[in-house]
Amino acid sequence: VSDPDREQAYRNTAHQLLPYLPDFPELLSVYHYPTLKLSEAMQAGANLILMGDPGTGKTVALADLASQVARRADSTGSLKELLPVLVHAADLNLPLKDSGAVVSCLVDALLRHLSPLTLPQISGLLREAVQTGKLLLFVDGLDELPPRWTDLVCEFIRSLVQLSPNSR
């Protein structure tokens, strides 16, 4: 029995009838399939890989989330306590000389985007974030690299996880 004085929740059965189709995620958007924001999906320690065709907004989504976290927006939940770092995979100076060179590699990747005056401060912030597990790393452009370079970036990420297991 429905109550005419209460607003009825709209029930969309698309999520019950259609499975998630990773090859065609845009199909489900037509049916208002339930979605999560990136910040919601990354709560509780989840690490994500954002995939999609060229031009679908992956870079914009990463940059938007990184800037929200940097501004400590309430909508980012527990992520706002982390230090966001957005790098392009091609800017990483790989392969690493040793596993301790992770922070140096990140600093080198940010060099062209930083003022020489802020570089020592950023380097210190990165080292502290890695030591305390408060780094939130966004690596963009992995799909633009040849497979050999992709393997090097994956090895870099493995080294970072070994060095700082709580970093994201």
Side-chain angles (χ1 to χ4, degrees):
V1 176
S2 68
D3 183 354
D5 294 330
R6 281 189 20 201
E7 184 176 326
Q8 298 297 314
Y10 173 71
R11 300 195 132 245
N12 186 345
T13 57
H15 67 281
Q16 295 171 348
L17 299 175
L18 297 171
Y20 173 66
L21 304 168
D23 293 332
F24 304 105
E26 60 276 359
L27 172 69
L28 298 176
S29 68
V30 172
Y31 298 102
H32 305 288
Y33 201 83
T35 60
L36 286 175
K37 294 180 182 177
L38 278 177
S39 59
E40 293 170 336
M42 292 188 68
Q43 297 303 311
N47 292 318
L48 299 178
I49 296 174
L50 185 59
M51 297 174 22
D53 290 329
T56 56
K58 299 179 298 292
T59 299
V60 171
L62 292 177
D64 180 56
L65 181 55
S67 68
Q68 287 180 40
V69 172
R71 290 191 316 267
R72 297 181 174 257
D74 289 334
S75 63
T76 61
S78 62
L79 299 178
K80 67 182 173 186
E81 303 303 320
L82 305 176
L83 175 67
V85 175
L86 175 62
V87 296
H88 194 280
D91 290 338
L92 295 169
N93 189 14
L94 300 173
L96 293 177
K97 297 174 184 94
D98 59 65
S99 62
V102 170
V103 175
S104 299
C105 182
L106 286 173
V107 171
D108 290 346
L110 297 172
L111 273 176
R112 72 177 67 181
H113 307 289
L114 296 175
S115 160
L117 298 174
T118 60
L119 187 59
Q121 294 168 334
I122 297 296
S123 179
L125 277 173
L126 280 173
R127 287 187 199 293
E128 182 181 338
V130 168
Q131 289 172 350
T132 60
K134 300 277 187 182
L135 178 68
L136 178 59
L137 179 64
F138 298 96
V139 180
D140 188 29
L142 198 57
D143 58 337
E144 301 168 14
L145 300 178
R148 185 177 74 78
W149 281 87
T150 302
D151 293 342
L152 291 174
V153 174
C154 290
E155 187 58 40
F156 166 78
I157 293 171
R158 273 189 218 97
S159 296
L160 174 62
V161 169
Q162 287 175 348
L163 183 65
S164 182
N166 293 328
S167 287
R168 311 280 297 283

